[in-house]
Amino acid sequence: MKALLLAGGKGTRLRPITNNLPKPMVLIMGKPLLERTILNLKNYGVDEVVLSTCYKSKHIKDFLKDGAELGVKINYITEDIPLGTGGAIKKAEEFFDDTFIILNSDIVSDIDYAELIRYHKEKKAHVTIAMTEVQDPSQYGVIEFNDSGFVTAFKEKPKIGETSSKFINAGVYIFEPEVLKEIPANSVVSIEKETYPSLLKKGYNLAAYKFHGYWIDIGTLNKYKKVHEDILTGKCRILCKNKGEILLDKKGIIIEKGVKIHPTARIFGPAYIGNNVFIDAYAKIGPYAVIGNESYIGYKSTIKSSVIWDNVRINESVKLCNAVITSKCIVKRDTEVLDTVLIS
Ligand code: GDD
Ligand code: MG
């Protein structure tokens, strides 16, 4: 089975994290989201992935290369100008001649793709859209559907009063390749605003799959922080390395390999400490602290409700609370970093 990952967006709402980095490459518990997504797909039998890139595409290619290290074949398509979600899907047409998966690359979910594909086949659908229920659907694509499980209307970012449905497009689709002929080539097209409404008008079968598991779009800073909290409390179970899940001990603490913790330092769960981290004397870590690989936490520093990426140096007596510190940052001694994102 093949999958197409839409990974070309600018990630504007995640700035400044995305100033130097494409959104799908942000680290989730010390590993790029895109890598986690591909490894997850692989567990469902996906052996070939097409990455549709645009913003900072080189960064993605340099990191994932041809996919050999992950055990899947990766093909790249790069747009010079953003073609929108529909235009990007059309540009990938040559790769698909059988039922395939399409994903937005900024979501973390534990959706069962095998079950989704089974539903798609049972419904004999041209497209199946996975839906999740949310309190406030205004920032999403909202789906109306009938009792037989088929989409009757698709309303992208609807205005207040435009729909009463709370089921939103989860950004996970199963497609039959024949549908691609309905998208104009070499044009900027939104799959959500243009293609789905047009397919419905033309009488295509768009199945609506209700998904009840964990789902989040990490497109804003609050949600980026929230997914880490949810992983640390076991609400969101994500894959670690090629198989198995990240396991929390009784206090909700995960300590990876090669970690050195000074005997006077204290760890308050839930917390995640990546490979080869060094935590110096009297430092206090947690609760809700994520520390990326190879990072150093200095003497008497405290880290609460914060996400630290790889190769970060936190010098002595630093206080971090509700902060995100991206890779290679150095935080000077005696600094307080509250509700802030630091990039190097
Ligand atoms: N290649 C390419 N080119 N990819 C793109 C482009 C483009 O021009 N524009 C967006 N993408 C990718 C983004 O990288 C992201 O992975 C995905 O398409 C969706 O774009 P977002 O910018 O994240 O859209 P959104 O979050 O506002 O809304 C979308 O996701 C919601 C669920 O999170 C829509 O699909 C909504 O309907 C949906 O509810
Ligand atoms: Mg999004």
Side-chain angles (χ1 to χ4, degrees), residues 4 6 84-93 102 175 180 183 191:
L4 169 62
L6 299 173
T85 44
I89 292 170
K90 178 69 176 179
K91 204 170 158 90
E93 188 167 15
I102 304 182
F175 259 59
L180 302 177
I183 307 175
I191 199 81

Side-chain angles (χ1 to χ4, degrees), residues 284-289 302-307 319-323:
K284 287 185 186 158
I285 310 295
Y288 298 102
T302 60
I303 317 290
K304 267 189 207 164
S305 302
S306 295
V307 181
K319 279 192 181 148
L320 289 193
C321 186
N322 207 18

Side-chain angles (χ1 to χ4, degrees), residues 103-330:
L103 292 185
N104 287 353
S105 302
D106 59 349
I107 54 168
V108 176
S109 105
D110 56 8
I111 192 161
D112 181 335
Y113 295 104
E115 172 60 20
L116 179 62
I117 291 162
R118 194 199 56 70
Y119 183 87
H120 172 81
K121 300 268 183 201
E122 179 192 295
K123 292 282 172 197
K124 297 188 170 53
H126 297 103
V127 171
T128 296
I129 304 176
M131 310 182 297
T132 182
E133 199 173 5
V134 294
Q135 284 297 318
D136 173 14
S138 60
Q139 293 310 306
Y140 299 102
V142 180
I143 293 170
E144 293 172 4
F145 53 97
N146 61 24
D147 292 343
S148 317
F150 286 99
V151 179
T152 52
F154 191 108
K155 296 175 177 166
E156 183 66 14
K157 318 244 161 72
K159 295 192 187 76
I160 296 167
E162 209 184 313
T163 178
S164 57
S165 173
K166 298 246 190 246
F167 283 90
I168 61 144
N169 166 24
V172 178
Y173 319 125
I174 307 297
F175 259 59
E176 291 305 317
E178 63 182 280
V179 168
L180 302 177
K181 70 175 186 292
E182 298 292 346
I183 307 175
N186 304 314
S187 310
V188 178
V189 182
S190 160
I191 199 81
E192 299 89 348
K193 290 184 191 152
E194 297 166 69
T195 313
Y196 288 146
S198 149
L199 290 176
L200 287 171
K201 259 191 210 153
K202 288 180 179 166
Y204 280 90
N205 285 335
L206 272 60
Y209 175 81
K210 272 189 201 170
F211 169 60
H212 299 289
Y214 184 86
W215 183 92
I216 198 167
D217 159 345
I218 55 105
T220 65
L221 279 169
N222 280 340
K223 287 193 277 177
Y224 176 72
K225 289 178 195 161
K226 174 85 169 60
V227 73
H228 286 88
E229 266 177 47
D230 291 343
I231 294 166
L232 288 173
T233 51
K235 204 169 152 196
C236 165
R237 295 151 74 86
I238 57 166
L239 291 173
C240 181
K241 290 156 195 138
N242 285 326
K243 50 187 174 235
E245 282 154 2
I246 286 181
L247 292 177
L248 301 155
D249 74 3
K250 278 186 197 140
K251 291 179 188 157
I253 298 172
I254 306 155
I255 298 181
E256 298 278 12
K257 288 187 190 128
V259 173
K260 287 190 186 122
I261 302 174
H262 191 279
T264 58
R266 305 275 305 272
I267 316 286
F268 303 93
Y272 171 85
I273 302 175
N275 291 309
N276 304 320
V277 166
F278 181 22
I279 298 173
D280 220 330
Y282 299 101
K284 287 185 186 158
I285 310 295
Y288 298 102
V290 172
I291 303 179
N293 302 321
E294 322 288 334
S295 288
Y296 167 77
I297 311 296
Y299 174 78
K300 275 196 169 174
S301 283
T302 60
I303 317 290
K304 267 189 207 164
S305 302
S306 295
V307 181
I308 296 174
W309 290 17
D310 294 351
N311 293 296
V312 168
R313 185 173 176 89
I314 307 283
N315 283 319
E316 70 177 78
S317 302
V318 167
K319 279 192 181 148
L320 289 193
C321 186
N322 207 18
V324 178
I325 315 288
T326 65
S327 297
K328 297 185 185 154
C329 278
I330 299 173

